[in-house]
Amino acid sequence: MKYSSSGILVVLGMHRSGTSLISNLIANAGLNLGKELLVAQDNPYGHFEDKEILQFHKDLLLSRGHSLSGLDLTVYEPFDFDEFEEKKALELLNDRKSYYHGKVWGWKDPRTVLFINEWKRLEPSLKSLIIFRHYSEVVNSLYKRDYVGTVYPTKNILKRVLWFLKFNVMAYWLKNKYLKQWILYNEYILKYAQKNKESCLVFESKQFIGQTKHAINLLNERFELSLMSSNLEGVYDDKYFSRDKSGRIYSEKLINEAEVLLESLRQLTREYK
């Protein structure tokens, strides 16, 4: 079979799920991920995020009363484009189709998860590489990024004790907040993948990283692409992809929800073996 040298492939996954690393791998394999990429401050290997599409998503979230990160959801909700937003999305698509004419291209931004149904409606040929990661690893990664390292600079014993108590209460609250976000983002992912099986390929992040050559071959076969082989050399450092699952202080109710969702996502990956 002769594979195509063109097409649109979106890397879809929530924050801290390994999508930056995997985007790096498939960019090295030949996927064009943006005309101008965001300069990463906290990852020397880059985030591989198209600045214009990233800003579009941020504007969408702000206009709906959400934070720039989109990590403040409370319920599963539809995110539909209005007439102006649809026009802007089509401009972004058409500009990149023209720019990458005859090449395989796409984008990566965790916020895409929230708007993927609208992108798919506007571009039915769009394919998705879906990445998920164990909830404990995602929660701990977000927690370490946003809160760990906070130190109360005092020698006063009472103040240190009070700070320690406050720290642990905040830790419990933040970790449950992030776990709820993991559940909501991955509910979007699961529903989209189930509805669009023919245009999605789903991997757990550790599965893709451990079988990069096999994963890229599957992408080529399933979507008739012509990506080259790629490996972890020069693009991977363990300290930027921790597998820490320690310090679980989550609500049992949320853990049970997350476990059911995790198993449903893993079930999708078994279909490719």
Side-chain angles (χ1 to χ4, degrees):
M1 179 186 293
K2 185 177 180 180
Y3 293 149
S4 172
S5 59
S6 63
I8 306 174
L9 178 65
V10 172
V11 181
L12 200 62
M14 88 161 287
H15 304 261
R16 317 304 285 189
S17 291
T19 54
S20 294
L21 168 59
I22 289 166
S23 294
N24 195 345
L25 286 168
I26 59 176
N28 287 337
L31 180 67
N32 297 281
L33 283 169
K35 295 169 63 176
E36 185 180 1
L37 297 179
L38 177 73
V39 176
Q41 303 296 324
D42 58 344
N43 185 340
Y45 298 105
H47 291 306
F48 292 84
E49 293 175 353
D50 183 309
K51 287 181 70 174
E52 281 192 293
I53 292 178
L54 172 62
Q55 188 59 53
F56 177 57
H57 287 152
K58 287 182 175 181
D59 291 343
L60 292 173
L61 287 166
L62 281 178
S63 70
R64 289 158 173 78
H66 290 290
S67 66
L68 290 174
S69 68
L71 288 173
D72 60 346
L73 306 180
T74 55
V75 294
Y76 183 95
E77 59 183 288
F79 285 93
D80 299 331
F81 293 161
D82 63 24
E83 184 177 350
F84 172 80
E85 293 164 348
E86 181 171 318
K87 181 181 178 182
K88 178 62 177 177
L90 287 169
E91 287 175 359
L92 290 168
L93 286 170
N94 291 331
D95 177 61
R96 281 147 185 76
K97 285 181 185 178
S98 175
Y99 186 79
Y100 291 120
H101 182 68
K103 298 179 181 178
V104 184
W105 67 276
W107 71 87
K108 168 260 172 181
D109 172 25
R111 300 159 190 81
T112 306
V113 169
L114 307 177
F115 305 102
I116 188 60
N117 286 300
E118 289 293 85
W119 284 113
K120 182 67 171 176
R121 178 178 63 82
L122 297 179
E123 184 56 57
S125 68
L126 183 146
K127 307 296 191 299
S128 297
L129 168 59
I130 294 176
I131 304 296
F132 68 94
R133 185 181 180 190
H134 193 284
Y135 59 86
S136 290
E137 295 178 11
V138 172
V139 168
N140 280 318
S141 180
L142 285 167
Y143 176 68
K144 286 179 179 179
R145 183 192 70 179
D146 295 342
Y147 202 66
V148 169
T150 304
V151 176
Y152 192 81
T154 181
K155 294 181 180 180
N156 185 290
I157 300 299
L158 178 59
K159 287 184 177 181
R160 280 188 174 273
V161 169
L162 291 174
W163 178 86
F164 180 78
L165 293 172
K166 178 182 176 182
F167 182 91
N168 279 276
V169 170
M170 183 62 72
Y172 179 80
W173 180 81
L174 274 177
K175 288 193 173 187
N176 280 291
K177 172 192 170 183
Y178 292 144
L179 182 54
K180 182 64 175 177
Q181 299 309 300
W182 185 95
I183 291 168
L184 287 169
Y185 266 76
N186 284 284
E187 280 181 348
Y188 281 100
I189 287 171
L190 179 63
K191 289 179 181 180
Y192 180 77
Q194 291 173 332
K195 182 180 177 181
N196 300 278
K197 284 190 175 184
E198 295 305 311
S199 60
C200 294
L201 195 57
V202 185
F203 285 94
E204 191 163 0
S205 54
K206 64 181 180 181
Q207 178 188 17
F208 192 103
I209 293 166
Q211 305 174 36
T212 302
K213 184 177 179 180
H214 173 63
I216 290 175
N217 285 339
L218 277 177
L219 281 170
N220 285 333
E221 292 170 9
R222 190 175 183 87
F223 301 146
E224 299 184 4
L225 301 175
S226 55
L227 298 173
M228 302 174 291
S229 61
S230 183
N231 58 60
L232 296 173
E233 186 176 350
V235 303
Y236 179 68
D237 188 327
D238 256 341
K239 72 179 180 180
Y240 295 106
F241 194 71
S242 170
R243 292 185 174 85
D244 179 20
K245 296 179 183 176
S246 63
R248 302 186 196 184
I249 50 173
Y250 319 137
S251 152
E252 284 297 324
K253 178 178 180 295
L254 291 179
I255 288 177
N256 291 337
E257 286 183 46
E259 283 289 343
V260 171
L261 186 51
L262 182 65
E263 178 55 31
S264 296
L265 289 165
R266 284 176 170 167
Q267 186 61 44
L268 293 179
T269 72
R270 296 184 187 114
E271 296 177 10
Y272 310 131
K273 296 180 179 179

